[in-house]
Amino acid sequence: MLPLGLYSLFTLLLWEFKPVFGTIINTRANIPTSPPSNSEKLAPTLLSFSLEQDRWPDWAGRHSQNVYTYNALTNYAQLTGQPPKIRVGANTEDRTLWGPNVDLVSTVFPAPNETTPYPEATSMNVGDEYYRLSRFMPRGTHMTWGLNLGYSNVTNAVNMAQSIFRAFSSASETTRNGVVLDLIELGNESDLYRGKVRPSNWTISQFVQNWIENMTPVARVVKLSVGGPVGVIACSFVTRIFTATGSFNAGILDSEPGKYITHISQHWYSGEFCNGGDFHLRSFMSKSAVRGNLTVFNPDITATRSRGLVYVMGETNSIGCHGAPGVSNTAGAALWAIDYTLQAATLGIQEIYYHGGIGFKYNFFQPIALDRSPVNNSHLSPPSQPYLQPPYYAGLVVNTAVGRMAGSGMTKIVELELTAPNLSGYAIYEMGKPARAVFVNLNAWLKSDARVRERSVYHIDLSFVSTAKEIKIKRLDIGYADDTSSLMWGGQSWETREFLVSGREVTETRSRDEGVDIRETEAILIWF
Ligand SMILES: *[C@@H]1O[C@H](CO)[C@@H](O)[C@H](O)[C@H]1NC(C)=O
Ligand SMILES: *[C@@H]1O[C@H](CO)[C@@H](O)[C@H](O)[C@H]1NC(C)=O
Ligand SMILES: *[C@@H]1O[C@H](CO)[C@@H](O)[C@H](O)[C@H]1NC(C)=O
Ligand SMILES: *[C@@H]1O[C@H](CO)[C@@H](O)[C@H](O)[C@H]1NC(C)=O
Ligand SMILES: *[C@@H]1O[C@H](CO)[C@@H](O)[C@H](O)[C@H]1NC(C)=O
Ligand SMILES: *[C@@H]1O[C@H](CO)[C@@H](O)[C@H](O)[C@H]1NC(C)=O
Ligand SMILES: *[C@@H]1O[C@H](CO)[C@@H](O)[C@H](O)[C@H]1NC(C)=O
């Protein structure tokens, strides 16, 4: 039995009616003393965001910046030195028309229902001011903007691109505020056009031809150049019917606009809530499921990188169609997101863009007041103020793990080989030396478990050669996996009125030889 230590006293105070230590299971983590050959570079923007285009003004702010979005992103930027990247697009990028006389945006929404309380717009018209709201992102934000391929209307795609480039021109306020246009994306999930806006037997070759027809005039008008400041992100498929490799074989990279492709994007969700359904958090918190959902992309990642291009997960989250209640909005989903993000990094996925929309269940945060419940569409009176959801804490853990040196390209990550069931771990190296490790205990500790058993603990012995005698530990404290609020990262909360940290930071320092404890449904970060 280990000395309880300060942390345990702290948790005893916090949860005095719960058993703090159940069964202790001993295990071991061997941390290589230098980055193994399969380690991967960590990008400071590893954890980035994709936003549904229809309600972009709500995220950004209309007349001044939305302080909730701004603070949520800036908290992350302080950890890595760079704000998350922002992609605006998705479903509604293929339903957008640009018009010269549109002030900001006019949007048509379908009726909400219990499964989909906040449906995407069926159509929208935007004007120049719409893209100019990019100026409200935190300084240093790099953006991707979507163009409409669904309509296959070259005039409209060119109009949208020109409006975007005007918003980011060298004299623009956006540029003066340090917000940068990185990439343009033509078409969202074009593999799903089949049977909707394209014939059901539409092939990848026909997609590539269609993309070239629309992208060629766009590239000419906005004067893209090889190695220029703005690149093209392509593919953005979501099924396995069309693949990045398939598009390479169909010649996308050999085309005129294909020369400007710098990034390949894949979209993925581990499940779908489009028609509702019953999802179980326990089955979601599974180490093998996280790996199963990501390793299928290994051949595309290899094919992409062998061509000198960057591979990103350009839109993702737990469960498609805005998330499932009781899974996507829980503390368990925060642990899932830590493992999913870091796992993606070890596979060579440079960035992973978590999708969000106003009132979506899987959002990291809700940036505006809501007068209907995102969970079941019930009327909320008074409206809920903007709030953070548990996955936001995943970003705090991941970005602390990534650290401020990643921007210089000197930070690497590798997965640790662990035998304890559902315990995942990663080592992070800076300038060739072990700097930090992250452990995630995915075993689910649900409210219902507390009635029948005790919460189990892994005791991890750390074996590696290092001069450091002491380690510092910070915990993501979770009451239960099915909690939807009240997480604590190092004793601090971000669930405050304006998403600014409150409370005093709590970390533990112990001798390296003592090892560390991690409870079911907990994540820890260790500094060496
Ligand atoms: C585009 O992205 C969204 C996510 O908003 C997805 O649900 C949708 O089905 C996608 N594809 C099409 C063809 O609209
Ligand atoms: C709920 O709304 C969504 C989005 O408009 C729609 O796709 C779905 O069919 C609706 N479900 C029901 C049960 O009406
Ligand atoms: C294509 O887009 C242009 C510009 O938005 C619009 O005027 C025109 O009606 C569109 N064409 C079709 C066939 O929808
Ligand atoms: C797709 O189906 C249409 C009509 O059903 C047919 O005319 C066309 O040849 C098919 N295209 C391909 C590529 O199979
Ligand atoms: C990991 O957790 C999942 C979900 O609870 C469970 O189905 C699976 O058996 C666990 N894996 C192992 C190896 O115990
Ligand atoms: C992906 O994740 C879901 C949810 O955890 C799981 O049900 C599914 O089996 C996973 N897929 C693979 C291929 O592992
Ligand atoms: C709907 O969800 C809210 C929480 O957002 C909850 O308070 C309320 O009881 C739920 N209503 C129904 C009818 O399930």
Side-chain angles (χ1 to χ4, degrees), residues 97-98 153 155-156 159:
L97 283 175
W98 177 86
N153 179 330
T155 312
N156 182 52
N159 285 344

Side-chain angles (χ1 to χ4, degrees), residues 2-258:
L2 289 151
L4 282 177
L6 264 182
Y7 162 73
S8 309
L9 287 173
F10 180 70
T11 52
L12 274 167
L13 291 174
L14 271 182
W15 295 302
E16 53 185 311
F17 299 113
K18 268 183 291 163
V20 171
F21 285 106
T23 327
I24 297 191
I25 303 151
N26 288 305
T27 188
R28 171 173 294 274
N30 179 35
I31 296 162
T33 49
S34 61
S37 58
N38 63 335
S39 53
E40 288 283 348
K41 263 187 200 164
L42 266 181
T45 47
L46 168 65
L47 194 149
S48 287
F49 290 106
S50 162
L51 301 178
E52 191 62 51
Q53 178 158 336
D54 51 5
R55 299 193 64 176
W56 158 245
D58 289 324
W59 290 96
R62 286 163 199 264
H63 307 291
S64 61
Q65 65 201 169
N66 177 324
V67 68
Y68 300 96
T69 303
Y70 184 84
N71 287 349
L73 299 176
T74 302
N75 290 338
Y76 284 177
Q78 284 166 353
L79 299 170
T80 62
Q82 220 168 298
K85 291 187 179 175
I86 301 291
R87 170 237 188 190
V88 192
N91 226 311
T92 39
E93 86 183 52
D94 282 319
R95 300 174 188 175
T96 301
L97 283 175
W98 177 86
N101 302 318
V102 182
D103 279 343
L104 176 62
V105 59
S106 67
T107 331
V108 180
F109 285 99
N113 58 47
E114 196 181 329
T115 309
T116 314
Y118 290 87
E120 286 98 344
T122 43
S123 70
M124 55 191 292
N125 292 282
V126 301
D128 279 359
E129 178 58 17
Y130 176 83
Y131 297 110
R132 291 185 59 243
L133 300 181
S134 305
R135 69 187 184 277
F136 294 140
M137 292 293 104
R139 174 169 289 276
T141 302
H142 288 244
M143 294 191 70
T144 296
W145 270 102
L147 304 175
N148 188 336
L149 177 64
Y151 290 179
S152 200
N153 179 330
V154 170
T155 312
N156 182 52
V158 166
N159 285 344
M160 283 172 77
Q162 286 183 299
S163 183
I164 292 164
F165 274 67
R166 278 195 291 277
F168 286 87
S169 70
S170 52
S172 68
E173 209 180 328
T174 315
T175 299
R176 285 205 306 279
N177 286 356
V179 180
V180 178
L181 178 65
D182 256 4
L183 298 164
I184 48 176
E185 171 189 80
L186 177 65
N188 163 66
E189 302 180 3
S190 304
D191 40 354
L192 291 186
Y193 293 178
R194 291 155 49 100
K196 291 178 193 153
V197 291
R198 299 291 186 276
S200 52
N201 61 0
W202 204 48
T203 63
I204 184 106
S205 302
Q206 288 170 315
F207 158 76
V208 168
Q209 285 318 308
N210 190 214
W211 185 90
I212 294 170
E213 276 158 32
N214 282 267
M215 198 64 199
T216 304
V218 168
R220 287 181 188 162
V221 168
V222 298
K223 300 194 171 64
L224 293 185
S225 61
V226 175
V230 181
V232 170
I233 184 163
C235 292
S236 310
F237 304 136
V238 71
T239 65
R240 305 289 296 144
I241 302 168
F242 288 3
T243 61
T245 309
S247 75
F248 300 154
N249 294 340
I252 195 167
L253 299 177
D254 313 315
S255 66
E256 181 191 324

Side-chain angles (χ1 to χ4, degrees), residues 35 40-44 402 404-413 428-433 435-436:
E40 288 283 348
K41 263 187 200 164
L42 266 181
V402 167
R404 294 187 67 95
M405 203 183 271
S408 64
M410 303 297 280
T411 309
K412 290 185 147 191
I413 186 167
I428 290 138
Y429 296 83
E430 281 175 346
M431 303 205 304
K433 297 207 170 63
R436 292 176 287 282

Side-chain angles (χ1 to χ4, degrees), residues 282-287 421-422 442-444:
R282 192 182 294 284
S283 65
F284 213 80
M285 294 173 67
S286 151
K287 186 173 170 180
N422 284 320
L442 288 164
N443 287 307

Side-chain angles (χ1 to χ4, degrees), residues 449-496:
D449 291 317
R451 292 194 285 271
V452 294
R453 64 182 183 91
E454 294 201 324
R455 190 170 185 169
S456 72
V457 179
Y458 286 134
H459 175 71
I460 310 171
D461 275 319
L462 302 167
S463 69
F464 66 110
V465 186
S466 150
T467 50
K469 288 271 184 287
E470 288 200 324
I471 55 174
K472 189 174 93 172
I473 304 157
K474 190 162 170 172
R475 288 178 197 268
L476 180 61
D477 284 340
I478 292 170
Y480 299 100
D482 38 357
D483 283 350
T484 55
S485 65
S486 309
L487 285 71
M488 293 274 223
W489 169 228
Q492 296 178 301
S493 174
W494 277 256
E495 290 161 71
T496 56

